[in-house]
DNA sequence: TGTCCCTACTTGTTCCTACATGTTCTACTA
DNA sequence: TAGTAGAACATGTAGGAACAAGTAGGGACA
């Protein structure tokens, strides 16, 4: 399966940019010239260039030409860890209290997120996370059951979910998409976390995948906003994972 | 000055989406049908649809059709940009209302953050940010005055701070460190943003630097949590500290 | 009943042409 | 010499055509 022509051309130009053969600010050959060089139509070149432009690698100016973007920066490098590892790294003691741990069936929302059939088995793990012995977060994890049969034999009040997934099922998280919002804790959540109304919580929804793109888990968490903040580095990259503000993208699972 | 045809068509479809005439998940007419309906070529329709797809409003599936996006994590273009650019990219109209714009002197906290002498001049810009005409966030920006003399001559209710910094002072943001927390809006903030107590806000503190490591600005923002969420991708591929949960690393500036 | 295949339909890719619009530089003109 | 008209060239927009590739559904067949 070969890539589309315009993709190959975009890749080839991108490579020239990344190797420095084309320096920032440099002007690309005209679309006409590129089409002759590659022996393809101008449309195909434009398709390739518009891909690169969408990713921020190049900029086109009508009547002038197409240029390598000046402010192009190296890729963001960001670790993806589970809660346990993140806290351990920070020298905290982590504990968990299991609220629920069972097999449920996929409703339409879970089916879509986890890429499983409607009604398929889903592992549901609901935990109160403790840091230094005090309530820190509530974490509801949903995993497709098909790749992790028997996972509930483990005691996740002691073991780390990510450790078990890696060691026993060879599922290693590679990347994730995550959404962070703020809400007022519901009475149930507030009570579990020993908070008094009204208390703000950080609501985090995360979809974790393997390198192959397989969905490992979908997690919804509420963190005590008085104890936790989310910290991140941003790069002014054009193409790499970064962070943006998103308006109203939420639907699906709600607080029970 | 009339817009391009494909733009008009994209706008018309976008309007249908935003008014709810086309619900999330709904399938659009086929490109062929759309081209007949609008009396234009299929290329023009595809141009319009690809614009909408780039902004995340629709998704096309080969052999099936084009659908209004309903995913939890819409595909987005990810840049470290200013508020204006981020929103513009998403096809939103951005406005600002200047609350304060003046020169102040650096207190110990600002001096440390901005790497300036105690008592040095600092530009203070306090804005209510509007998206689609409605209050969205409050943003307090602090900039060392030494590299941007005369910056307050600009009207930042109309101009973008990042645009002015880049165009007039040649200061281009390269990377930033950012902290995201959740709080209950203070009465002052709630009133400005048209919120009723108790309302959650996302509190964001960002320190932006140039490629040389020079601090361009320190910004504190409160975003309406009912309108905004923070979205980010995480990678497990590299070795540098990335997005982690941080426990209470905050000090310094407080809500006035 | 279950499988396979064919067909109709949809989007994806690639080619073509034509004209519009914006920029730059040159050469002519006043 | 200064100013301008215009050539040359760049991207932007619009339309047409053809074939590739993927999907869904119906129908034939085992």
């Amino acid at each position: 399966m070969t890539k589309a022509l315009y993709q190959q051309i975009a890749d080839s130009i991108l490579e020239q940019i990344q190797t420095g053969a084309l320096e920032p600010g440099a002007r690309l050959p005209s679309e006409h010239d590129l089409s002759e060089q590659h022996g393809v139509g101008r449309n195909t070149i434009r398709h390739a260039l518009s891909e690169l432009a969408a990713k921020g690698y190049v900029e086109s100016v009508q009547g002038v030409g197409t240029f390598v973007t000046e402010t192009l920066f190296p890729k963001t490098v960001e670790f993806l860890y589970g809660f346990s590892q993140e806290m351990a790294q920070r020298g905290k003691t982590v504990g968990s209290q299991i609220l629920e741990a069972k097999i449920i069936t996929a409703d339409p929302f879970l089916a879509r997120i986890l890429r499983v059939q409607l009604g398929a088995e889903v592992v549901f793990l609901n935990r109160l996370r403790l840091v230094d012995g005090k309530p820190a977060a509530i974490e509801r994890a949903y995993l497709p059951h098909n790749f992790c049969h028997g996972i509930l034999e483990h005691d996740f009040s002691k073991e780390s979910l990510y450790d078990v997934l890696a060691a026993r099922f060879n599922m290693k998280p590679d990347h994730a998409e995550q959404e962070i919002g703020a809400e007022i804790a519901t009475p149930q959540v507030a009570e579990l976390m020993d908070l008094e109304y009204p208390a703000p919580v950080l609501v985090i929804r995360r979809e974790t995948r393997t390198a192959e793109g397989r969905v490992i888990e979908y997690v919804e968490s509420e963190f005590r906003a008085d104890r936790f903040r989310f910290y991140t580095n941003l790069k002014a990259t054009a193409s790499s994972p970064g962070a943006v503000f998103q308006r109203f993208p939420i639907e699906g699972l709600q607080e029970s």
Side-chain angles (χ1 to χ4, degrees), chain A:
Chain A
M1 178 63 191
T2 62
K3 278 187 185 176
L5 256 183
Y6 79 93
Q7 260 307 340
Q8 293 178 38
I9 293 168
D11 287 348
S12 131
I13 295 172
L14 180 54
E15 192 188 335
Q16 290 180 272
I17 293 172
Q18 288 177 331
T19 60
L22 281 170
E23 293 183 359
R27 180 171 142 182
L28 300 180
S30 75
E31 296 174 354
H32 177 264
D33 288 356
L34 282 171
S35 79
E36 286 199 341
Q37 282 174 30
H38 290 86
V40 302
R42 190 181 151 218
N43 270 3
T44 306
I45 295 295
R46 281 183 62 76
H47 199 345
L49 290 181
S50 79
E51 290 283 301
L52 293 174
K55 290 179 182 168
Y57 287 109
V58 302
E59 281 174 72
S60 294
V61 184
Q62 185 172 358
V64 183
T66 302
F67 304 85
V68 179
T69 307
E70 298 260 13
T71 53
L72 196 60
F73 303 97
K75 288 206 162 197
T76 323
V77 275
E78 288 168 346
F79 256 112
L80 173 62
Y81 275 150
F83 182 85
S84 306
Q85 285 88 342
E86 280 177 6
M87 289 303 134
Q89 195 141 53
R90 311 196 68 75
K92 308 292 175 190
T93 62
V94 175
S96 288
Q97 183 181 323
I98 307 290
L99 303 175
E100 291 171 276
K102 59 185 179 187
I103 306 291
I104 61 176
T105 56
D107 63 17
F109 176 76
L110 283 176
R112 185 162 58 79
I113 292 285
L114 297 178
R115 273 74 157 167
V116 296
Q117 293 283 320
L118 203 76
E121 292 190 331
V122 171
V123 178
F124 173 52
L125 186 57
N126 187 4
R127 289 185 289 182
L128 174 66
R129 312 306 298 259
L130 310 169
V131 174
D132 292 341
K134 290 174 292 188
I138 289 172
E139 190 183 278
R140 295 180 297 281
Y142 300 85
L143 301 85
H145 192 210
N146 53 25
F147 67 75
C148 58
H149 282 279
I151 194 172
L152 288 183
E153 296 160 4
H154 294 263
D155 178 3
F156 288 110
S157 68
K158 296 197 178 67
E159 285 185 90
S160 150
L161 179 57
Y162 278 23
D163 284 349
V164 170
L165 284 173
R168 178 164 166 192
F169 300 103
N170 196 35
M171 298 293 281
K172 290 174 190 162
D174 174 80
H175 59 281
E177 296 186 1
Q178 182 167 277
E179 215 176 43
I180 307 169
E183 290 178 14
I184 307 283
T186 61
Q188 298 95 319
V189 168
E191 192 184 337
L192 281 167
M193 290 209 279
D194 203 15
L195 291 167
E196 283 180 20
Y197 181 88
V201 288
L202 275 169
V203 178
I204 294 180
R205 293 178 174 86
R206 185 192 285 195
E207 188 180 324
T208 310
R209 287 190 280 267
T210 64
E212 299 79 37
R214 194 167 175 183
V215 177
I216 298 180
E217 59 160 10
Y218 171 72
V219 180
E220 290 186 322
S221 316
E222 282 103 24
F223 283 80
R224 282 180 61 144
D226 61 342
R227 294 188 68 190
F228 290 91
R229 291 175 193 277
F230 189 79
Y231 175 78
T232 179
N233 292 325
L234 301 179
K235 296 270 182 186
T237 75
S239 65
S240 74
V244 294
F245 287 102
Q246 193 96 25
R247 209 181 144 194
F248 262 155
I250 293 294
E251 60 167 295
L253 286 175
Q254 296 299 326
E255 193 64 38
S256 64

